[in-house]
Amino acid sequence: MAIRRSLLSLGTAALASALLLAPALSAEAAAPTACKGSSCTGKNPQGEGCGSGAKVIDRVQPAGGGPEVQLRNSARCSAAWARIQKANSSWRFKIQIRGGASYTASASPSYEAYTRMVGSSNAYRACVEIYDGRGGSWSCTGWH
């Protein structure tokens, strides 16, 4: 009986130690995403839980200099979007679907800004408008 109690205590202690040492998942990483693939198109990447673990797959800067725009992809959501660091709000950027819609946003001097998402089964690219006072001229990543 004493041996059984010792083994039970040892097992309980080992289990408690394992639980204390196990890395905790963040709430966002553990939470399911609200969209996947084409159902993410037109939605907010942060609001849908797609920002966690997203990777920068390409970058572009406007011809003549200016803020970098990142093309980001979330494997978890099968979706992509463009993001710009803090910058003058005159800078516009977009994510564009080949032969389809584009989602344009403006930079903010107060926070990083991002576009709506597109499902990553589409061909897409990120672009930043060349700030030359005339508008309409864009520098873009390659198609992905």
Side-chain angles (χ1 to χ4, degrees), residues 31-125:
T33 59
C35 67
K36 186 89 169 167
S38 62
S39 71
C40 292
T41 298
K43 295 185 178 173
N44 178 319
Q46 304 308 319
E48 297 297 312
C50 298
S52 176
K55 298 201 181 324
V56 175
I57 60 170
D58 208 343
R59 303 167 194 277
V60 62
Q61 282 190 287
E68 176 183 271
V69 172
Q70 300 174 339
L71 180 60
R72 300 178 63 78
N73 181 281
S74 168
R76 186 171 174 224
C77 292
S78 298
W81 63 93
R83 181 177 78 177
I84 194 169
Q85 302 296 320
K86 294 178 187 177
N88 178 311
S89 59
S90 296
W91 288 102
R92 294 187 330 145
F93 65 107
K94 66 184 175 182
I95 188 161
Q96 181 179 29
I97 299 172
R98 187 189 305 241
S102 64
Y103 295 99
T104 304
S106 294
S108 169
S110 304
Y111 53 85
E112 295 175 341
Y114 48 88
T115 64
R116 299 292 179 169
M117 294 185 286
V118 301
S120 58
S121 63
N122 298 296
Y124 56 88
R125 68 182 181 177

Side-chain angles (χ1 to χ4, degrees), residues 7-18:
L7 288 175
L8 186 59
S9 292
L10 183 59
T12 302
L15 179 61
S17 294

